[in-house]
């Protein structure tokens, strides 16, 4: 299973775009990149998933370069309610989610 | 999607006792997973509990300490045995519907405090 590396923490201000980069140098050909969000006292919640290039949904965008050794989660115009821990995972065919350290995002007023 | 209910939501237990955590899913799922999350830390996978087979434990977790039952496609239990203060954590149940749906759904977790 691919190991992922991301910054431990980030601060941002309301209304700004936040980009969180994840490194996954040994990602396997069949692995998908998946991002989860976790608020205190809650289980993680799915944000977005992609294989390559760019994926966008109503809450975020995911950029994956051609070599797939990294990915960037982009959160447009964050608000205070986006303060959470964000996890980058490489999902294999076994559906086993192995969580890394995550990035603790703090949005400031 | 899947909705997961975990019971209890929290408990305080004496050392040396055991706690059984229940996980109920609102749909039939094959793949179920149990995680532990220590305070301020990330999630650590304890075991995979697929229906119809024995649970598969990750490195550092053993069946004697964390016995798991999976009697049907909507229910599972995790028991944390012979409790010590180091077992104080949040325990989470997760399911994956499988096939084209690779999203993992998580319960709210069970907060265990061992005194």
């Amino acid at each position: 299973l691919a190991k992922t590396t991301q910054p431990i923490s980030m601060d941002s201000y309301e209304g700004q775009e936040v980009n969180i980069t994840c490194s996954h140098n040994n990602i396997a050909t069949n692995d998908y990149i998946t991002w989860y969000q976790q608020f205190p006292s809650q289980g993680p919640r799915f944000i977005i998933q992609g294989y390559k290039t760019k994926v966008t949904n109503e809450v975020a965008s995911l950029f994956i370069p051609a070599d797939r050794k990294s990915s960037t989660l982009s959160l447009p115009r964050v608000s205070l309610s986006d303060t959470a821990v964000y996890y980058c995972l490489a999902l294999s065919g076994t559906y086993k989610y192995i969580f890394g350290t995550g990035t603790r995002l703090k949005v400031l007023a | 999607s899947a909705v997961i209910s975990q019971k209890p939501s929290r408990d305080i237990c004496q050392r040396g006792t055991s706690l059984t955590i229940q996980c109920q899913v609102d749909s039939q799922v094959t793949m179920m997973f149990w995680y532990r999350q220590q305070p301020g830390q990330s999630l650590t996978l304890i075991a995979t509990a697929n229906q119809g087979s024995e649970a598969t434990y990750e490195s550092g977790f053993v069946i004697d300490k964390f016995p798991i039952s999976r009697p049907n496609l909507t229910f599972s239990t995790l028991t944390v045995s012979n409790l010590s203060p180091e077992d104080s954590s949040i325990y989470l149940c997760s399911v994956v519907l499988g096939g084209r749906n690779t999203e993992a759904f998580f319960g709210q977790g069970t907060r265990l405090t061992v005194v």
Side-chain angles (χ1 to χ4, degrees), chain B residues 48-61:
Chain B
T48 301
N50 291 340
Q51 200 274 338
S53 62
E54 296 288 322
T56 304
Y57 290 83
E58 297 297 307
S59 175
F61 297 94

Side-chain angles (χ1 to χ4, degrees), chain A residues 3-22:
Chain A
K3 180 181 177 181
T4 59
T5 303
Q6 24 178 156
I8 295 296
S9 65
M10 295 179 68
D11 288 347
S12 180
Y13 288 94
E14 281 191 292
Q16 290 188 332
E17 178 184 75
V18 171
N19 295 309
I20 307 175
T21 297
C22 177

